[in-house]
């Protein structure tokens, strides 16, 4: 034979073999690639650990991590073991000889090809399904922690008489275990069938029996386990009826048992448990009988029973027993649903009283006095005046205020407040150093009285300028490193100085002295963050050195959500100056979707209104819940980002459960300082969820609830055209019958009947934690026999009054824009007082000024320059500047006011003043701008006075 090494093919075979140097290079590249992938995975883990350690909540990270790892390992191994065991068992139970047939001959090729890799294939398949199952189980870490730490609610469901904790903490875990068991059995069946078929235990076309006795026994046991799990599922389904949602005309997202559930589905599920158990026993009996006949018959009977007993029978009960007498049949179950829903949402203590809706006295002096003492009517709309804060107090383009400001109270005064935060889009020149090293923080607090404005109609500032000064003084930390607009990372404290603020003497520099953020001294940390933020300059930039720290996760919602991932965060954090620091106050909720009989609501839908935007929307938009508590009050320091969680609802079992799972993360309510307590308030999102439920659940009588005759609706905001719900308003006021002598900081809203615009109810909650009645919901129910105008009707009447419409037309002169502020409703001596500020944004002016106030009460309407003047006019204490509601027939033959020479001259002066104001603003001459605004106001007043004089009836003769 020829020498293989010396033949033509010998030397040529070695030509393509890589050299030792190439093999070393390829091996090195491979190792580097593996190390690179490992570092990418490590970077995410490491940066998370560093961040949690920096905020001193490392136990949250470790508890969550080890819980995930434990679930991954346990359930991954269980799944891998179950599938691997059944694959191995199917292989061991293979027949010694395969039948001689074409089918088996074709399978021989596959058996031979995998023979050398059987062990690796078994390990690979088991590992793959184990990793998938483990990853799925790791995502159930909340379910597991709630199960092992669950605290009793102390109340039982009305059907099974089990503690509510069984449904909220235990049942979800049992359902997960059941689902995992089904997945393990199904995957095991599939794997066993494949192996049995491959090795001849199952045959499709081969002669003889279709399955060997060993394969029959093996698969029978697996199918018996499947049917056993189905019996367990039927048993758990019985309890699931208490938390099952269904379509029911009585309420959206109805939850709990109805008549058909208690009298048809519940006994059907119990019967199916027994049938499934018998069917499972028949499958297990196949180990001895070696025949599929009885198990198949049993399985068929189980399926047929599920259709007849579980589907057809309840349909018959619903059709022939419930529908002919639905109210009588459903009333006991509706009563249970009403009670559970009111308990679950904290509205069970709501106080509903009848309210006449019309004045109960003719004493105008008494009414005028009550209008001044019953409420501090806020005419500064926090949603309208943000541009005024922006233009008058922005100072520099790289600062900005939120689009909706906060309402708080200081020294008994309702106050509109906002922080001058960093606006990254306003930096003069954007580059990496400016964006992340030089411009790092906002500066200062701006606040204004809620009930007054200055002479020009601008906010009456009580804290302003840069650095800010006023009622808070100047001796407090004004730098804002953490805020609602601060979404980018910053690197502070190193060799690169930061811009602090600018004044007449130039720019002031600073270097961050706080202890928040993660230290970048360590090159490993720098590399990890360079990778995490996809910014390689972090790794080698000379702007980073000793003392450099990276700040990120800087919005209050992000920080609270990160350290307490089991909380749902309110959409409207708000700032307050407390003990020399600016603190963000964040309301947080514990929720569950497993409260028996309580109807569900979707948080994103319930909390949406005309003011919600990207900053004010609830995080969990699609979260469906049927239990909610404002159980935690959190604070975030605007300078050092410190997050503090306080237990607010000490009775909430869901919070107690999480406090057991994460000990030491939530402080006791007793640790809330008095200055902080003074600025806590009832949260808006909880109030909006509760008012949505109260549109139906203010009714406690089942028959009335079923009829829907007393159903209400949250009205659309009449000041916008978007068709979105009117927002609730904070207001210091006294409700009729309220025991407090003074006004109480409250959160208010109105209701209308379904598909109608008149007022059906007024709702207020005591929002001041410093009072005994904090959280008390009071509802004034108006009569249906004598309709009272609702917000939309009041707004329409405002705009349709001829004199008011003419005055508004004059305000729009010179291309000015009129903006309507919040339409506030206040109960007053049996009637409803409506107040609405009217703002004017003149041409060339970038912010609105308060020009008029609309007031209506008891059929009387006023449109005046100030609130006091409008109230005086409505209650007859002063003559109107702008007459409204003229007697029929008077003034109908007068020529249009615009034809009067005096009015024309006044409008010409107004247009000139607008132009002068525009020039002054562009030139930065604020003194000239103020004079132009005064001239504009005077000109408009002359025009209105002339129009009123022309329209007044002349004396007879």
């Amino acid at each position: 034979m020829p020498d293989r090494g010396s033949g033509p093919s010998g030397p040529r075979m070695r030509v393509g073999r890589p050299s030792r140097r190439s093999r070393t290079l390829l091996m090195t590249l491979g190792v580097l690639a593996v190390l690179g992938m490992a570092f990418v995975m490590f970077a995410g883990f490491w940066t998370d650990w560093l961040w949690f350690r920096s905020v001193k909540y490392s136990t949250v990270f470790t508890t969550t991590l080890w819980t995930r790892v434990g679930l991954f390992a346990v359930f991954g191994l269980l799944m891998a073991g179950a599938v691997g065991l059944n694959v191995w068992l199917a292989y061991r139970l293979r027949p010694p000889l395969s039948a001689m047939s074409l089918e088996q001959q074709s399978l021989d090729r596959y058996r031979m090809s995998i023979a050398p890799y059987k062990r690796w294939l078994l390990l690979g398949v088991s590992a793959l399904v184990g990793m998938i199952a483990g990853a799925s189980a790791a995502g159930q870490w909340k379910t597991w922690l709630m199960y092992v730490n669950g605290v009793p609610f102390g109340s039982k469901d009305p059907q099974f008489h089990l503690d509510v904790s069984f449904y909220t903490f235990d049942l979800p875990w049992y359902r997960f275990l059941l689902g995992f068991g089904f997945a393990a059995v199904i995957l095991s069946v599939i794997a066993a069938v494949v192996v049995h078929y491959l090795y001849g235990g199952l045959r499709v076309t081969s002669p003889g029996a279709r399955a060997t006795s060993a394969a029959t026994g093996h698969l029978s046991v697996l199918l018996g386990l499947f049917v056993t799990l189905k019996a367990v599922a039927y048993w758990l389904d019985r309890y699931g009826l208490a938390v099952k949602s269904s379509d029911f005309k009585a309420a959206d997202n109805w939850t709990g048992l109805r008549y058909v559930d208690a009298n048809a589905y519940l006994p059907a599920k119990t019967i199916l448990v027994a049938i499934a158990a018998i069917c499972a026993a028949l499958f297990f009996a196949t180990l001895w009988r070696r025949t599929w006949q009885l198990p198949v018959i049993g399985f068929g009977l189980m399926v047929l029973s599920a259709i007849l007993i579980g589907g057809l029978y309840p349909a018959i009960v619903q059709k022939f027993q419930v529908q002919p007498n639905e109210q009588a049949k459903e009333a006991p179950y509706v009563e249970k649903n009403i009670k559970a829903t009111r308990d679950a949402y904290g509205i069970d203590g709501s106080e509903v009283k009848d309210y006449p809706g019309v004045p109960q006295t003719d004493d105008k002096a008494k009414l005028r006095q009550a209008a001044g003492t019953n409420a501090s009517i806020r005419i500064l709309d926090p949603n309208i005046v943000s541009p005024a804060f922006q233009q008058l107090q922005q100072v520099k383009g790289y600062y900005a205020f939120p689009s909706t400001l906060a309402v708080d109270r200081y020294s008994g005064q309702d106050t509109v407040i906002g922080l001058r935060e960093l606006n990254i889009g306003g930096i003069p020149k954007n580059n990496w150093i400016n964006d992340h090293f030089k411009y790092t923080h906002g500066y200062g607090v701006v606040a204004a009285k809620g009930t007054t404005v200055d002479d020009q109609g601008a906010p009456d500032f009580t804290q302003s300028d840069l650095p800010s000064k006023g009622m808070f003084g100047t001796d407090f930390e004004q730098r804002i490193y953490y805020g609602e607009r601060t979404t980018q990372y910053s690197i502070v404290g190193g060799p690169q100085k930061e811009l602090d603020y600018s004044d007449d003497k130039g720019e002031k520099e600073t270097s961050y002295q706080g202890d928040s953020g993660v230290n970048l001294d360590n090159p490993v940390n720098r590399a990890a963050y360079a990778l995490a933020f996809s910014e390689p300059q972090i790794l080698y930039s000379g702007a980073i050195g000793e003392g450099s720290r990276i700040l990120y996760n800087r919005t209050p919602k992000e920080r609270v959500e990160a350290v307490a991932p089991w909380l749902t965060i309110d959409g409207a954090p708000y700032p307050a100056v407390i003990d020399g620091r600016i603190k963000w106050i964040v309301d947080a909720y514990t929720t569950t979707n497993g409260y028996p009989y309580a109807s569900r609501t979707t948080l994103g839908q319930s909390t949406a209104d005309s003011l919600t935007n990207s900053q004010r929307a609830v995080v969990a938009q699609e979260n469906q819940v049927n239990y909610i508590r404002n159980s935690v009050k959190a604070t975030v320091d605007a300078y050092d980002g410190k997050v503090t969680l306080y237990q607010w609802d000490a009775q909430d079992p869901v919070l107690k459960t999480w406090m057991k799972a994460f000990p030491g993360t939530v402080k006791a309510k007793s640790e809330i300082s008095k200055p902080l307590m003074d600025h806590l308030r009832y949260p808006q999102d909880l109030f909006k969820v509760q008012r949505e439920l109260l549109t139906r659940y203010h009714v406690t009588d089942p028959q009335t609830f079923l009829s829907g005759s007393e159903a209400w609706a949250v009205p659309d905001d009449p000041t916008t055209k978007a068709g979105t719900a009117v927002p609730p308003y904070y207001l210091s006021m006294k409700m009729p019958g309220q025991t407090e002598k003074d006004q109480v900081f409250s959160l208010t809203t109105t209701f209308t009947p379904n598909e109608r615009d008149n007022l059906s109810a007024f709702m207020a909650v005591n929002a001041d934690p410093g009072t005994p009645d904090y959280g008390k919901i009071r509802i004034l129910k108006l009569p249906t026999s004598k309709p009272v105008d609702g917000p939309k009707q009041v707004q329409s009447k405002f705009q349709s009054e001829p004199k008011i419409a003419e005055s508004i037309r004059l305000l729009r002169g010179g291309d000015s824009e009129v903006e309507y502020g919040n339409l506030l409703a206040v109960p007053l001596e049996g009637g409803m007082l409506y107040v609405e500020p009217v703002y004017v944004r003149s041409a060339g002016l970038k912010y609105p000024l308060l020009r008029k106030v609309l007031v209506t009460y008891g059929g009387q309407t006023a449109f005046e320059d100030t609130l006091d003047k409008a109230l005086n006019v409505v209650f007859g204490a002063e003559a109107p500047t702008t007459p409204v509601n003229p007697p029929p027939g008077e003034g109908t033959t007068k020529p249009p006011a615009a034809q009067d020479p005096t009015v024309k001259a006044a409008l010409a002066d107004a247009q000139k003043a607008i132009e002068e104001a525009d020039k002054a603003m562009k030139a930065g001459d604020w003194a000239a701008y103020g004079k132009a605004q005064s001239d504009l106001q005077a000109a408009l007043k002359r025009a209105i006075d002339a129009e009123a004089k022309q329209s007044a009836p002349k004396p007879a003769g």
Side-chain angles (χ1 to χ4, degrees):
M1 294 181 63
D3 185 357
R4 293 180 182 269
S6 62
S9 61
R12 290 179 185 174
M13 290 287 291
R14 302 178 61 88
V15 171
R17 186 177 181 182
S19 64
R20 179 178 296 178
R21 179 177 297 178
S22 298
R23 292 198 305 271
T24 303
L25 178 61
L26 289 173
M27 186 176 295
T28 302
L29 291 175
V31 171
L32 290 176
V34 171
L35 291 176
M37 292 176 63
F39 187 76
V40 169
M41 297 173 63
F42 167 78
F45 163 82
W46 185 242
T47 53
D48 285 346
W49 161 249
L50 291 174
W51 187 87
F52 275 95
R53 191 175 63 175
S54 74
V55 294
K56 298 178 176 59
Y57 281 89
S58 55
T59 56
V60 174
F61 178 82
T62 54
T63 299
T64 304
L65 174 66
W66 289 118
T67 303
R68 287 175 177 269
V69 169
L71 291 172
F72 179 90
V74 170
F75 287 94
L77 288 174
L78 284 175
M79 182 63 78
V83 174
L85 175 64
N86 281 281
V87 169
W88 175 82
L89 190 59
Y91 177 75
R92 289 294 302 271
L93 296 175
R94 70 191 185 280
L97 295 174
S98 300
M100 297 304 294
S101 66
L102 292 176
E103 178 186 25
Q104 295 303 315
Q105 289 175 8
S106 63
L107 289 174
D108 274 339
R109 290 178 296 173
Y110 296 103
R111 289 193 281 263
M112 293 176 63
S113 62
I114 66 173
Y117 311 106
K118 289 194 301 288
R119 180 175 299 177
W120 292 108
L121 192 59
L122 173 63
L123 292 175
V125 170
S126 300
L128 179 62
V129 296
M131 291 180 66
I132 295 173
S136 176
Q140 298 293 322
W141 64 273
K142 290 183 181 180
T143 307
W144 166 251
L145 288 177
M146 293 181 78
Y147 172 71
V148 296
N149 296 288
V151 172
F153 274 68
S155 59
K156 297 181 178 181
D157 77 282
Q159 180 66 42
F160 302 101
H161 308 292
L162 296 173
D163 192 90
V164 172
S165 61
F166 170 79
Y167 300 93
T168 56
F169 304 141
D170 300 345
L171 189 57
W173 180 249
Y174 295 153
R175 282 177 165 167
F176 164 73
L177 291 179
L178 188 63
F180 178 84
F182 273 122
V185 171
I186 291 171
L187 289 175
S188 296
V189 168
I190 294 172
V193 166
V194 170
V195 175
H196 279 303
Y197 176 72
L198 184 63
Y199 287 95
L202 295 176
R203 302 153 190 162
V204 178
T205 61
S206 300
R210 296 290 180 230
T212 63
S213 59
T216 300
H218 183 197
L219 294 178
S220 295
V221 171
L222 292 177
L223 292 175
L225 289 174
F226 179 87
V227 178
T228 301
L229 290 175
K230 190 61 181 173
V232 176
Y234 282 135
W235 184 257
L236 289 182
D237 285 346
R238 299 168 66 255
Y239 302 109
L241 292 172
V243 290
K244 182 196 72 172
S245 287
S246 59
D247 295 330
F248 190 30
K249 68 179 182 180
D252 295 331
N253 292 312
W254 172 275
T255 302
L257 283 83
R258 291 158 53 194
Y259 181 90
V260 69
D261 296 312
N263 295 277
Y265 280 111
L266 187 57
K269 296 291 184 183
T270 305
I271 294 171
L272 288 172
V273 169
I275 293 174
I278 294 172
C279 185
L282 293 176
F283 273 106
F284 291 133
T286 308
L287 284 171
W288 296 276
R289 293 179 58 86
R290 302 297 182 180
T291 176
W292 289 87
Q293 185 176 5
L294 285 178
V296 170
I297 293 173
F299 188 78
L301 289 174
M302 186 181 76
V303 173
L304 183 62
S305 300
I307 296 172
L308 296 178
I309 301 175
L312 185 59
Y313 173 61
I316 293 173
V317 171
Q318 178 69 24
K319 179 71 174 177
F320 295 102
Q321 290 190 33
V322 178
Q323 289 184 6
N325 192 17
E326 186 173 40
Q327 290 206 345
K329 295 291 188 183
E330 299 288 14
Y333 304 96
V334 170
E335 186 175 6
K336 296 173 184 177
N337 174 269
I338 291 173
K339 183 182 185 305
T341 301
R342 289 170 63 87
D343 288 344
Y345 289 94
I347 57 178
D348 51 316
S350 303
E351 179 183 274
V352 181
K353 289 185 176 181
D354 291 332
Y355 189 71
V358 294
Q360 299 298 291
T361 179
D362 294 330
D363 188 340
K364 296 296 183 70
K366 180 181 178 182
L367 289 170
R368 178 64 184 90
Q369 182 181 7
T373 58
N374 279 21
S376 296
I377 300 173
R378 179 174 42 76
I379 57 174
L380 200 65
D381 186 341
N383 188 50
I384 297 289
V385 300
S386 179
F389 275 54
Q390 187 79 1
Q391 289 298 312
L392 299 177
Q393 291 296 321
Q394 179 187 23
V395 182
K396 296 292 182 180
Y398 45 81
Y399 293 130
F401 292 90
S403 58
T404 300
L405 303 173
V407 178
D408 204 345
R409 63 264 188 230
Y410 290 89
S411 304
Q413 165 74 43
D414 286 3
T415 301
V416 176
I417 185 171
L419 301 187
R420 190 185 288 110
E421 294 190 48
L422 179 66
N423 173 26
I424 198 73
I427 295 176
K429 184 178 181 181
N430 288 102
N431 55 54
W432 189 62
I433 293 296
N434 279 349
D435 292 352
H436 299 287
F437 290 82
K438 184 174 182 180
Y439 295 90
T440 59
H441 60 279
Y443 203 102
V445 181
V446 177
K449 295 179 180 178
T451 54
T452 61
V453 293
D454 67 13
D455 294 339
Q456 306 301 319
D460 186 3
F461 293 111
T462 55
Q463 183 82 19
S464 58
D465 300 334
L466 183 66
S468 72
K469 55 184 180 290
M471 64 176 178
F472 304 136
T474 58
D475 190 20
F476 68 98
E477 181 55 71
Q478 300 192 28
R479 298 172 182 88
I480 303 159
Y481 282 88
Y482 296 87
E484 288 185 289
R485 301 180 61 95
T486 314
T487 56
Q488 77 286 353
Y489 71 88
S490 290
I491 298 176
V492 298
Q496 176 68 45
K497 293 295 183 182
E498 310 162 45
L499 172 67
D500 203 15
Y501 65 90
S502 297
D503 59 14
D504 296 337
K505 298 179 182 179
E507 292 185 349
K508 307 292 184 181
E509 291 187 334
T510 188
S511 186
Y512 184 66
Q513 300 299 314
D515 60 356
S516 68
V518 177
N519 199 311
L520 293 179
D521 287 352
N522 189 325
V524 175
N525 292 359
R526 291 177 67 169
Y529 280 104
L531 187 62
F533 289 110
S534 301
E535 185 50 72
Q537 293 186 79
I538 294 177
L539 188 59
Y540 56 78
S541 174
I544 302 174
E546 184 178 355
S548 291
R549 310 177 73 85
I550 185 167
L551 313 181
Y552 62 104
N553 287 353
R554 297 170 71 182
T555 68
K557 288 171 63 177
E558 281 181 320
R559 296 182 78 76
V560 175
E561 193 173 37
V563 302
W566 32 271
L567 291 174
T568 299
I569 311 303
D570 189 89
Y574 59 98
V577 178
I578 301 168
D579 293 332
R581 310 282 288 193
I582 300 172
K583 303 272 191 181
W584 288 99
I585 300 175
V586 184
D587 285 288
Y589 310 110
T590 46
T591 63
T592 180
N593 196 27
Y595 197 99
Y597 273 97
S599 289
R600 291 179 169 84
T601 187
T602 303
L603 290 180
Q605 295 175 1
S606 298
T607 58
D609 60 32
S610 62
L611 298 185
T612 52
N613 52 40
S614 59
Q615 292 182 0
R616 288 174 58 89
V618 169
V619 175
Q621 286 294 325
E622 300 304 321
N623 253 22
Q624 272 209 331
V625 303
N626 66 353
Y627 172 93
I628 186 169
R629 289 290 187 273
N630 176 214
S631 54
V632 171
K633 300 284 188 181
T635 62
V636 177
D637 193 291
Y639 181 72
D640 63 18
K642 181 181 179 181
V643 181
T644 308
L645 307 176
Y646 296 99
Q647 182 183 18
W648 184 246
D649 187 343
Q651 305 303 316
D652 177 30
V654 180
L655 178 61
K656 291 179 181 178
T657 296
W658 286 119
M659 289 175 68
K660 280 182 64 180
F662 297 97
T665 57
V666 181
K667 293 186 176 182
K669 185 176 182 178
S670 59
E671 296 191 41
I672 299 177
S673 66
K674 177 62 168 60
L676 173 58
M677 184 71 76
D678 289 342
H679 294 283
L680 299 181
R681 67 189 192 188
Y682 201 83
Q684 293 184 62
D685 284 342
L686 176 61
F687 184 78
K688 286 187 279 188
V689 169
Q690 289 174 326
R691 76 171 178 179
E692 184 68 31
L693 269 296
L694 281 167
T695 58
R696 296 195 67 91
Y697 286 93
H698 66 279
V699 174
T700 56
D701 175 61
Q703 301 293 341
T704 307
F705 187 91
L706 279 166
S707 70
S709 60
E710 293 290 330
W712 298 338
V714 177
D716 291 338
D717 189 344
T719 65
T720 68
K721 297 180 180 180
T724 49
V726 63
Y729 296 123
Y730 285 107
L731 195 67
S732 291
M733 59 173 293
K734 284 196 296 185
M735 284 284 281
Q738 199 163 335
T739 57
E740 287 84 357
K741 294 182 179 179
D742 300 324
Q743 298 170 6
V744 174
F745 194 61
S746 305
L747 193 53
T748 67
T749 192
T750 53
F751 295 106
T752 59
N754 267 338
E755 307 299 330
R756 294 169 61 193
D757 293 327
N758 57 287
L759 190 67
S760 59
F762 176 86
M763 170 180 166
V765 64
N766 185 332
D768 187 352
T771 57
D773 274 352
Y774 169 79
K776 177 73 174 180
I777 296 175
R778 294 179 172 88
I779 299 174
L780 302 179
K781 182 182 175 184
L782 281 79
T784 56
S785 56
K786 296 180 180 179
V788 178
D789 287 344
K792 186 176 180 179
Q793 293 172 322
V794 170
Q795 184 71 29
S796 298
K797 288 185 177 181
F798 277 157
Q799 296 173 337
S800 62
E801 290 284 355
K803 303 302 180 182
I804 294 178
E806 179 64 18
S807 299
I808 290 175
R809 188 191 66 79
L810 291 172
L811 292 175
R812 287 196 175 104
D815 295 328
S816 297
E817 296 180 11
V818 172
E819 298 182 29
Y820 295 98
N822 38 217
L823 179 58
L824 302 175
V826 178
L828 182 68
E829 298 296 327
M832 293 301 297
L833 175 69
Y834 286 98
V835 179
E836 182 176 65
V838 179
Y839 296 83
V840 176
R841 194 190 298 255
S842 302
L845 192 63
K846 295 183 178 180
Y847 62 92
L849 298 173
L850 181 67
R851 291 304 185 198
K852 290 287 181 180
V853 180
L854 282 162
V855 174
T856 185
Y857 181 80
Q860 299 297 317
T861 303
F863 185 58
E864 301 296 336
D865 294 342
T866 66
L867 175 61
D868 284 341
K869 172 75 172 176
L871 291 172
N872 288 340
V873 169
V874 163
F875 296 115
E878 194 171 342
T881 301
T882 305
V884 295
N885 296 335
E890 292 188 358
T892 56
T893 60
K894 304 292 181 184
Q899 295 179 2
D900 185 85
T902 305
V903 175
K904 287 184 177 180
L907 290 177
D909 291 343
Q911 180 62 37
K912 182 179 178 182
I914 290 171
E915 295 171 356
E916 292 296 329
D918 190 24
K919 292 179 183 178
M921 187 180 65
K922 291 179 179 178
D925 188 346
W926 299 111
Y929 174 79
K931 181 179 182 304
Q933 289 295 317
S934 298
D935 292 344
L936 174 61
Q937 188 175 20
L940 290 175
K941 189 174 187 304
R942 288 202 310 275
I944 294 171
D945 290 344
E947 185 271 340
K949 183 177 180 181
Q950 180 189 6
S951 301
K954 296 188 185 313

